[in-house]
Amino acid sequence: MFKTTSLSAFIVVAAAAATFAFPTLAADDLPKLKVTSAAGSVTYDRDQLEKMGMVSIKTTTPWNEGVIDFEGVPLEKLLKEAGASGETATVTALNDYSVDIPTSDFSEFGTILAIKRNGEYMPVDDQGPFFVMYPFDSNPVLQGQPYHGRAVWQVKEISVE
């Protein structure tokens, strides 16, 4: 244990501890999403995705308690921005889990790439940084398979064909 002899010494130690406990993310450290298609490959960081315009889906999920407010980019808009067109989007997670999603789901159901959950960025160890989210409560057809299996979390890449 150390002994502080003045308030200024205490403030210096506290500021240093806060810097290590809550590091500031540089732009290069922000989570990234890669979108590939016949048009090429584009990588977006979280800030770029947010600037596309976010919408909200309030829904229950099989993985969370209660109604959750997910905020993110409409997947239909994201693919248009990336110049990616096709009938199928293969969504791949950080652990290489992948699933094929008909791109028609994006316009039909308003599916989003969620960036925030209840106003907070989702950490990688808790379904983040990006989560394909359906408005499960808006339509009974969405309340089971195959839609629950298409709600991929820890998304790192979307490939459209």
Side-chain angles (χ1 to χ4, degrees):
M1 183 100 187
F2 66 92
K3 183 177 177 184
T4 57
T5 57
S6 72
L7 180 59
S8 61
F10 174 76
I11 293 171
V12 169
V13 171
T19 301
F20 292 112
F22 304 105
T24 303
L25 287 176
D28 291 342
D29 295 333
L30 291 175
K32 293 184 176 47
L33 172 75
K34 183 177 181 180
V35 179
T36 60
S37 69
S41 177
V42 184
T43 301
Y44 298 101
D45 68 26
R46 186 177 67 203
D47 288 346
Q48 291 169 315
L49 292 169
E50 285 186 281
K51 287 177 184 170
M52 287 182 196
M54 306 251 286
V55 298
S56 176
I57 289 177
K58 290 179 176 67
T59 190
T60 57
T61 77
W63 314 282
N64 305 99
E65 291 186 30
V67 175
I68 306 296
D69 182 12
F70 292 96
E71 294 173 74
V73 179
L75 277 157
E76 182 178 35
K77 184 176 190 175
L78 172 61
L79 296 188
K80 185 176 181 179
E81 181 76 24
S85 61
E87 294 181 16
T88 304
T90 302
V91 179
T92 305
L94 292 171
N95 67 357
D96 292 326
Y97 170 82
S98 68
V99 68
D100 292 338
I101 302 175
T103 55
S104 59
D105 278 12
F106 305 156
S107 58
E108 183 176 352
F109 301 116
T111 312
I112 67 171
L113 183 70
I115 296 170
K116 293 182 177 182
R117 180 181 54 227
N118 292 330
E120 301 290 329
Y121 294 113
M122 295 176 287
V124 170
D125 64 353
D126 191 11
Q127 301 174 323
F130 310 118
F131 193 164
V132 173
M133 185 51 56
Y134 285 79
F136 295 118
D137 294 346
S138 71
N139 187 332
V141 75
L142 297 175
Q143 297 174 1
Q145 295 302 336
Y147 301 100
H148 287 170
R150 294 177 183 169
V152 179
W153 59 74
Q154 295 183 321
V155 174
K156 70 174 180 180
E157 185 173 355
I158 300 173
S159 178
V160 181
E161 294 182 6

